[in-house]
Amino acid sequence: MVVGLDNGGTCNNATVLDATGQFLVNNLVENPSRVLDGPESAVESLAQAFTSILELTSTPRSLVRAVGLDTPGPASAHGVISSKGATNFNQVSWHGFDIRGALETRLGLPVIYNNDANAAALYAHHRHFGAAAAEHSSVAAIVGTGLGGGVVQDGKVIRGAAGMAGELGHVQIPLHGVLDDGQPVPKCNCGFEGDVESIASLTGIKNNLLPYWLTRFPDHPLAGEPLGKAAKLLRGLGEKEDPLAMAVFTQQAKAIGKLFTIAANFTDPAAYFLGGGVVEAAPHFRQWFLNTVRESTELRDEQAKAATFALVADLDMAGARGAAVAALDAVVTAAR
Ligand SMILES: [Zn+2]
C-alpha cells in the first residue's frame, strides 16, 4: 500500500492506493493544511492527514511502504520549496524548506515528491492508459489561476535537472493566428511575453485578454465590474455563447493548441490532456473548447492517427492520486 497526500493552500487531500492499482477512496478526504502557520504546523497537518486516511480505510500502518506528496511549486524536484518562497509558502521559514524530507522524518517512511501539476498530469496519464501506462507518453495542460502542466514519458514524469521540466505555462508560443490585429502582446508574471500562461489562465484573462476585449465590447455588462471578478464570471458567459467570452476562450484554446504543436514536435506524445476550470463547465462548452484546442494543434497525419485528446477527470482528486501513483512506482522500481 502507498498513501497519496496533496497539500494545498487551505486543505490537504489524502488517498490510499493498493499494489493492484486500486484507490481505496472514491471521494475527497480533506483536513486543514495550515501552511500559513508555517512549516512545523503544515508538516504536522500532513501527518494527521496520513493517520486519518489509514483509519478511514482500515489500512494497517505496517502495510504502508511509501508516501507520495505533492504541493504547489515552485519547488525543487525533491520537494525543497523555492528560496524565494511561493504563493502558499511566503513566510520566511518556508524559503528553502525541505518539505519532503521533513515529512519523511516525521513519518519514518520514504516520501516521494512531485509538484501539483506534475502529479495531476501523472494521474491523467495512468487513468487513461491503465495497465499500459508505462508504454505511453502524454502531455497535460491544466488551466487555473496559472497554467500548470506536466510531461510524462514511459509512464514517468519528466523532472529535469533542476526540477523545472514541464513548466508548460512559461513556454513562449507563436502569437500569429492567436492575437487579434493590434492586440497588445500579453505579459506573464514570470517576466516573459507571449507565453501560454499569459493567455490561457485566469491571470491571463484578468491582466491581458479581458482589458483588451473590453475595448472591443465597450458596452458589455462586464465593463462595470472589477477585472478580477469579471474574469471569474467569464466561463458562465462562455457557456451562453456570449461573443466577448467566446473571443477570450477561443484565444485560450488556440494558445493551448500552439503549445501542443510544440509538444508534438518535441516528445510526440500519444495523448494530450486538458484540465482545469474548463473541465467543470457545461458539457457542450467543454467539448467545444477541447475541439478548438484539437483544431489548433497542427499534427502530421501519422501523429493525428496515433494521438488522443482528452479531458482530465477527477481533477480535485488528481493531485493526491498522482502523488500515490508516483509513490507506488518508486516502490515497484526499488523492488526490482
Ligand atoms: Zn510565464
Side-chain angles (χ1 to χ4, degrees), residues 13-15 24-30 53 56 316-317 321:
N13 177 32
T15 195
L24 306 191
V25 180
N26 290 317
N27 52 326
L28 268 182
V29 181
E30 295 184 317
I53 202 70
L56 185 78
D316 52 357
M317 290 188 288
R321 287 186 162 193

Side-chain angles (χ1 to χ4, degrees), residues 169-171 188-192 195-198:
H170 308 295
V171 173
C188 180
N189 288 338
C190 76
F192 282 175
D195 65 12
V196 188
E197 181 167 306
S198 72

Side-chain angles (χ1 to χ4, degrees), residues 36-128:
L36 300 179
D37 298 341
E40 214 168 290
S41 304
V43 169
E44 207 45 47
S45 290
L46 284 165
Q48 281 170 15
F50 173 83
T51 307
S52 305
I53 202 70
L54 294 187
E55 279 171 12
L56 185 78
T57 55
S58 307
T59 304
R61 195 184 198 281
S62 59
L63 292 185
V64 180
R65 291 288 176 270
V67 175
L69 169 69
D70 77 289
T71 75
S76 79
H78 301 294
V80 178
I81 304 299
S82 167
S83 56
K84 289 181 180 170
T87 307
N88 288 355
F89 306 112
N90 56 8
Q91 272 186 28
V92 176
S93 52
W94 276 116
H95 297 191
F97 183 78
D98 178 5
I99 189 169
R100 187 207 66 80
L103 185 63
E104 189 166 273
T105 303
R106 172 65 180 77
L107 296 179
L109 283 165
V111 174
I112 289 84
Y113 178 83
N114 279 284
N115 73 45
D116 54 359
N118 280 349
L122 190 61
Y123 175 62
H125 182 91
H126 279 258
R127 185 183 151 117
H128 186 82

